[in-house]
Amino acid sequence: MFRLIAYAPDGVRRFPLDEGTTLIGSREENDICLPYTGVAQSHAQLSYDGDELRIEDLGSRKGVLVGGRRVRDAALEMLDEIRLGSVTLLVEEVAEPGDELAAPMIPTVPEAQTATERASRITPQVMLDHLAEISDWVLADIESRTPLESLVGKLLNDFGGGALFLLHGELAEEPGIKFVSVSNAAWLASGEELLEQVRSRLSELEANTENGPIDHEQEGALSGTLGDEPSWVGYHLFRAVERQYLLIVALPSFEEGGWSPVSSLRALGHLLVLGLVHHVGWYEPILPGRQAQRELTLDPALVVGESATMKAVLDQLRVAADPDIHVLMRGEPGSGLQMLARSLHLSSTRRQGPFVTATCSGAQPAAIEADLFGAEVAGKEGPVRREGKLVLADGGTLYLQGIDKMPAKLQDRVHRFLRSGEVEPGGTHQAIRVNVRIVATTQEPLEPLAGRDQFRVDLAYQLSRFTIDVPSLRQRREDLPLLIQSYVNRFCHETGKRMRGITVKAMSALLAYDFPGNLEELENIARQLVYLCPPGQPLDLSQLPEKVRLSTVQAAARVDSTSDLDLDHLVGATERAAIREALRRCHGNKSQAARLLGLSRNGLALKMQRRGLSG
């Protein structure tokens, strides 16, 4: 019997095929529903009589491709590739139930488990499926906004969790990170540690090679560590597109048995490089799948990433898009509140109307009131009416920033407007009826303010009919590599510079920094990095602001609700970070570093020996 494997923008799906006819299309009533771009409502029909499987085009505009050839009616065989719009279907033959030769079905993993809790379920067939999915994204999925992070993340999860780093540049120099994906945000800063482990292995191989230096096409595996966990570490050193790359994959839950994925890393590394090159210029890592893209229209400058917190925000935006109610967004300044509000406007029925911004702080109450409601002022030829933002936003959305800072007098007028829908400009008695949706933002929850009589309780309820909590950058650290690369790419395009990625040390420092200014501070730092970096070189630690360079020491000393509270481990992590920073500042001079740390030279040597630091 046959089944279809669908490589869709939001994942891989499998459909068993029974005898008879099977309708394929984007409508839910079809036997196989594929609600993706390019798939017609009734696209194709499969016929299976127990021996032969055929496909027939039902008159769709884009037709049906089988093996790259457009067909109206064709017989299908095992491993035939069918293309319907943005979906690739693969014909797979499976044994009948009870057949001992049947390949075992891949066990499913409970969704409630986190990536780090999952046991490895990888097999050669599962690895091949992942490579096929990534290959399809690289070569054929030219319209998808599916991020490569999502595809690689699924691969790591099937390995039971882990980290993948793609580095660009010669090993003798400081290679830059081209791509990174982890299943645990705590492993984002492990790039330098993994690079040193691979460098040590390659040095050992070179020392034991009778024929001199090793070739720059190497692959292998070693028993290493990822963070504090023993891990299988695979690597592949290769050249692609006339450049040197190093792929490192660390997998704590994987153990080599009868099969090793080392040879698969060769294909994976080349696919990642080709994908990043092929999708340059229009690759937008924003949404996890085509379904989300159809439901939401996001601000072009918004990069969401793969963190669970931002995916939850997207889910809330979908819910809030259709009901024409006021929305309150709570979050820190600079966390992308205005871009999310604009995305909500573009996804709603008000998308053809104006999107107007206003603020409730930073000016005198009378000026804020005139800005919102308008006013009549004296002019040379008589009174001149200045339209307020509420009138200008008629039929659209008013983005009201800092609602928690609104003066008490103005709260009364806004409350009356929300009840009546009428605006009365200052200096007049003429009411203007408008239809406006308000998306307000606040840094502090309104409930405590209302409890202290600093905010009207009824106004708080009217503005917060739907509330969305927007995470700060500290709460979505797993998105940082994607955000950093996105900003760097943008400023490289603006300046016309070509960079060689970002060094592991610079990336580690950026990942450890808290970014109190959130996205705006990250954007400013990325712009400065691109301006300072010489063309053709990787962005380096020395080009970062001092507060960011010190972040590795601060991160080592940070204790939060998820931290390991083993005191010796915490002290050791802080000491290692401080010693590395002192040696960096003193250019490796141990005597100067010891003075900087308040130690004797022998004391520094003992601490370095105890903490496993060399040189």
Side-chain angles (χ1 to χ4, degrees):
M1 60 180 295
F2 293 98
R3 70 176 176 184
L4 287 181
I5 302 178
Y7 295 94
D10 55 356
V12 180
R13 303 166 64 186
R14 292 173 171 82
F15 302 97
L17 297 177
D18 298 323
E19 291 188 20
T21 59
T22 303
L23 292 176
I24 306 177
S26 59
R27 291 188 305 180
E28 294 183 0
E29 300 80 36
N30 290 310
D31 301 308
I32 297 179
C33 177
L34 301 174
Y36 307 108
T37 300
V39 180
Q41 292 186 352
S42 296
H43 200 122
Q45 176 178 278
L46 291 172
S47 302
Y48 181 44
D49 60 6
D51 293 321
E52 186 181 45
L53 178 65
R54 301 190 67 85
I55 188 168
E56 178 187 356
D57 183 12
L58 297 180
S60 59
R61 183 169 59 87
K62 293 191 176 181
V64 175
L65 297 178
V66 176
R69 182 172 56 90
R70 191 177 302 277
V71 299
R72 298 294 301 178
D73 181 60
L76 299 175
E77 297 180 357
M78 184 177 65
L79 299 183
D80 271 350
E81 183 182 279
I82 308 164
R83 186 75 179 182
L84 306 181
S86 61
V87 182
T88 296
L89 301 170
L90 193 67
V91 179
E92 181 183 52
E93 188 172 12
V94 294
E96 298 287 348
D99 191 338
E100 295 180 356
L101 297 178
M105 295 294 289
I106 300 171
T108 58
V109 180
E111 290 297 327
Q113 292 179 298
T114 63
T116 55
E117 293 171 340
R118 293 176 176 173
S120 174
R121 50 164 255 173
I122 201 72
T123 64
Q125 180 60 47
V126 175
M127 186 71 190
L128 185 61
D129 287 344
H130 282 292
L131 291 177
E133 184 179 10
I134 295 173
S135 175
D136 181 68
W137 181 87
V138 170
L139 300 175
D141 204 358
I142 59 173
E143 297 179 352
S144 175
R145 299 172 83 182
T146 301
L148 188 57
E149 285 77 6
S150 178
L151 301 179
V152 176
K154 289 193 294 184
L155 171 62
L156 292 177
N157 286 341
D158 277 347
F159 271 106
L164 180 148
F165 289 84
L166 179 64
L167 306 176
H168 169 222
E170 301 294 335
L171 283 184
E173 303 173 5
E174 197 67 43
I177 293 180
K178 195 70 176 176
F179 176 82
V180 59
S181 179
V182 297
S183 58
N184 185 334
W187 294 333
L188 283 171
S190 300
E192 184 176 2
E193 173 192 358
L194 292 172
L195 177 60
E196 289 304 318
Q197 294 176 42
V198 174
R199 273 176 169 163
S200 298
R201 169 54 62 89
L202 293 176
S203 297
E204 292 174 6
L205 293 175
E206 186 172 350
N208 297 329
T209 300
E210 297 179 356
N211 299 325
I214 60 174
D215 184 27
H216 286 283
E217 293 283 340
Q218 288 287 324
E219 60 187 42
L222 58 97
S223 296
T225 57
L226 177 59
D228 294 326
E229 298 186 41
S231 300
W232 181 93
V233 178
Y235 61 89
H236 177 43
L237 181 68
F238 63 102
R239 297 193 71 85
V241 201
E242 301 180 352
R243 296 176 183 176
Q244 188 74 40
Y245 290 92
L246 173 63
L247 177 69
I248 306 177
V249 180
L251 308 168
S253 301
F254 176 75
E255 296 181 1
E256 280 195 20
W259 171 74
S260 171
V262 168
S263 58
S264 301
L265 297 184
R266 186 187 312 120
L268 179 61
H270 285 279
L271 284 173
L272 294 180
V273 172
L274 288 175
L276 294 172
V277 171
H278 185 60
H279 286 249
V280 71
W282 46 262
Y283 164 51
E284 299 177 54
I286 295 177
L287 295 174
R290 184 73 65 176
Q291 184 71 17
Q293 178 186 349
R294 188 181 66 172
E295 295 175 359
L296 285 176
T297 302
L298 298 186
D299 186 301
L302 181 63
V303 179
V304 174
E306 287 294 299
S307 64
T309 52
M310 284 306 294
K311 286 183 177 179
V313 171
L314 287 184
D315 290 338
Q316 290 177 301
L317 284 179
R318 292 188 193 98
V319 175
D322 287 336
D324 202 14
I325 56 176
H326 305 305
V327 175
L328 180 68
M329 291 186 177
R330 296 188 299 207
E332 296 180 7
S335 54
L337 295 169
Q338 183 168 343
M339 289 185 289
L340 289 169
R342 188 182 298 275
S343 301
L344 183 61
H345 168 74
L346 294 173
S347 305
S348 70
T349 55
R350 295 176 174 268
R351 65 179 68 89
Q352 301 300 328
F355 181 82
V356 180
T357 63
T359 183
C360 298
S361 61
Q364 294 295 324
I368 300 173
E369 184 175 5
D371 185 53
L372 283 177
F373 291 90
E376 280 195 0
V377 296
K380 293 182 178 179
E381 300 179 0
V384 177
R385 174 176 292 185
R386 174 190 170 188
E387 297 288 3
K389 296 289 181 65
L390 286 167
V391 174
L392 294 176
D394 187 21
T397 303
L398 176 66
Y399 173 68
L400 199 52
Q401 187 178 12
I403 195 72
D404 51 324
K405 306 297 183 184
M406 179 180 286
K409 178 183 176 182
L410 191 55
Q411 293 178 28
D412 297 336
R413 291 206 63 181
V414 172
H415 176 255
R416 288 197 301 272
F417 161 72
L418 293 177
R419 292 183 63 88
S420 65
E422 294 181 344
V423 176
E424 189 175 300
T428 71
H429 298 287
Q430 180 182 359
I432 304 172
R433 191 160 194 84
V434 296
N435 180 12
V436 176
R437 182 187 201 181
I438 293 180
V439 178
T441 68
T442 176
Q443 185 174 359
E444 185 178 354
L446 298 182
E447 291 81 358
L449 294 176
R452 297 194 297 267
D453 293 331
Q454 296 176 354
F455 203 89
R456 289 187 58 139
V457 176
D458 47 4
L459 179 58
Y461 285 135
Q462 285 182 316
L463 290 173
S464 57
R465 291 177 179 175
F466 194 96
T467 302
I468 299 176
D469 288 312
V470 179
S472 64
L473 211 47
R474 298 184 302 280
Q475 297 169 308
R476 45 180 298 213
R477 287 185 183 274
E478 54 266 54
D479 291 336
L480 270 173
L482 177 63
L483 291 164
I484 292 168
Q485 191 66 49
S486 175
Y487 283 128
V488 169
N489 286 346
R490 185 205 303 177
F491 297 128
C492 282
H493 283 297
E494 289 181 2
T495 60
K497 281 187 176 181
R498 296 192 66 176
M499 303 296 175
R500 216 176 65 215
I502 180 170
T503 65
V504 175
K505 291 182 179 179
M507 179 66 85
S508 297
L510 286 168
L511 295 176
Y513 185 55
D514 274 344
F515 292 100
N518 292 297
L519 291 174
E520 293 182 2
E521 183 178 11
L522 173 58
E523 181 180 0
N524 191 50
I525 291 174
R527 182 186 290 108
Q528 176 179 319
L529 279 174
V530 172
Y531 289 167
L532 292 176
C533 182
Q537 298 296 317
L539 304 173
D540 193 26
L541 184 69
S542 61
Q543 294 150 1
L544 291 171
E546 181 73 14
K547 60 183 180 182
V548 181
R549 293 202 298 269
L550 295 176
S551 59
T552 51
V553 179
Q554 297 165 353
R558 187 186 299 123
V559 180
D560 56 31
S561 59
T562 62
S563 297
D564 179 5
L565 295 180
D566 182 87
L567 192 58
D568 184 65
H569 174 74
L570 289 172
V571 173
T574 304
E575 286 188 349
R576 279 193 293 271
I579 291 171
R580 287 196 186 103
E581 176 63 19
L583 289 171
R584 186 194 68 79
R585 294 189 191 183
C586 299
H587 306 288
N589 188 309
K590 294 182 181 178
S591 297
Q592 293 180 14
R595 285 195 294 273
L596 194 61
L597 293 167
L599 300 172
S600 66
R601 197 180 192 284
N602 288 336
L604 174 60
L606 288 173
K607 283 190 177 292
M608 290 179 65
Q609 182 179 3
R610 181 185 177 192
R611 299 304 177 190
L613 298 174
S614 60

